[in-house]
Amino acid sequence: MVRKSPASPEPQYIKVQNHLRERIASGHWVAGDLLPSEAELVQTFGVSRMTVNRALRELHQEGLIERVQGVGTFVAQLHRISSTLTVRDVHDEIAERGHRHEAVLHRLETLRATAEQAAEFELPAGSELFHSVIVHLENGVAIQCEDRLVNPASAPDYMGLDFSQTTPTHYLLQVAPLSEARYTIESTLPSESEAKLLGISRRDPCLVVKRSTLSRGRIVTTVRLTHPGSRYLLQGSFQA
């Protein structure tokens, strides 16, 4: 009879990591929250400071937490972890290619949410929303039509922004730290208004990204990003 060797006990630093991961994943701690100090974790788990330090160091290397010397440890902002997959500022994309970015504002208004829009934002029908339509250009060529709805409770100053100086993405990530993003990507034909704004034919295929972003459990914005297929390449990377 062959006896199985007993399973090796789980390292103590893994237990600390798993505890922190589970609390962050469950929403107990969200982006920007201050985590327990090293001393508190040492007392909670009955382990050495070296063990706690290793657990935090590895979580920091993964991008899950941020450590500020003399201040404490915080849950990392999601856009710092996966911005290249989900929330990428088109201005930064263009600047990284060494090209010139321009933004042309075509619509900026306050409207009352339809039943469908209200459901997306988890608000009562008829709630106030901000609406903007912006076309982004790279070296004078339109590459993205951005049709966006914004929850005023999350970004009350949105209507007063100068979109020639800042993008909605840049502003919203500052005022409403990202905790979750949901998105779909599809190849489809543009609407009549999108084709006109982008200067393309209704028959030209486009890459359309639809995205909702949340901060502390509240939906901040929904956006439809339409890109002419012949002018845009979606790229990204992720490393955990």
Side-chain angles (χ1 to χ4, degrees):
M1 179 178 179
V2 178
R3 294 183 178 179
K4 293 183 179 180
S5 300
S8 300
E10 185 177 55
Q12 291 297 313
Y13 79 92
I14 295 294
K15 292 182 179 180
V16 178
Q17 284 184 350
N18 287 343
H19 171 78
L20 296 176
R21 288 180 194 279
E22 289 169 4
R23 288 298 185 93
I24 293 171
S26 69
H28 179 82
W29 293 314
V30 299
D33 280 356
L34 178 65
L35 298 179
S37 66
E38 287 191 19
E40 289 172 324
L41 292 172
V42 165
Q43 184 174 10
T44 298
F45 290 92
V47 296
S48 69
R49 183 176 289 271
M50 184 180 298
T51 296
V52 168
N53 187 267
R54 177 176 179 180
L56 296 178
R57 185 175 67 251
E58 292 190 2
L59 290 176
H60 173 70
Q61 290 171 347
E62 294 176 13
L64 192 62
I65 64 173
E66 296 175 348
R67 307 180 75 182
V68 181
Q69 185 69 33
V71 179
T73 302
F74 301 84
V75 180
Q77 305 294 346
L78 180 60
H79 69 274
R80 294 183 183 175
I81 301 173
S82 58
S83 62
T84 52
L85 282 179
T86 55
V87 182
R88 190 78 166 107
D89 190 342
V90 67
H91 171 82
D92 293 342
E93 287 186 52
I94 294 172
E96 287 173 6
R97 291 193 285 269
H99 294 169
R100 184 181 76 258
H101 169 255
E102 297 173 74
V104 179
L105 178 66
H106 288 270
R107 182 173 297 176
L108 184 62
E109 61 185 352
T110 300
L111 50 75
R112 295 294 175 180
T114 64
E116 182 180 356
Q117 291 167 342
E120 282 189 296
F121 280 86
E122 300 175 358
L123 295 172
S127 295
E128 186 177 89
L129 293 174
F130 297 148
H131 177 224
S132 61
V133 177
I134 299 173
V135 172
H136 297 277
L137 299 92
E138 180 171 357
N139 289 345
V141 177
I143 66 163
Q144 182 187 92
C145 179
E146 173 187 329
D147 192 334
R148 182 183 296 273
L149 291 171
V150 175
N151 186 342
S154 299
D157 299 326
Y158 188 79
M159 297 292 286
L161 293 179
D162 181 354
F163 293 108
S164 68
Q165 300 298 315
T166 189
T167 63
T169 296
H170 179 80
Y171 167 74
L172 292 171
L173 287 175
Q174 286 186 319
V175 299
L178 186 64
S179 59
E180 184 180 348
R182 306 165 184 167
Y183 66 96
T184 62
I185 302 173
E186 63 178 336
S187 176
T188 188
L189 297 177
S191 66
E192 183 176 353
S193 61
E194 288 170 340
K196 183 176 180 180
L197 290 173
L198 291 167
I200 59 177
S201 165
R202 285 289 310 276
R203 297 186 298 275
D204 289 343
C206 289
L207 179 70
V208 176
V209 178
K210 297 178 182 178
R211 185 176 68 218
S212 299
T213 54
L214 294 81
S215 179
R216 298 182 181 275
R218 172 190 286 167
I219 296 179
V220 175
T221 182
T222 65
V223 63
R224 175 184 168 97
L225 305 172
T226 303
H227 314 82
S230 60
R231 302 176 187 171
Y232 189 80
L233 174 66
L234 180 66
Q235 294 179 304
S237 62
F238 178 74
Q239 184 174 354

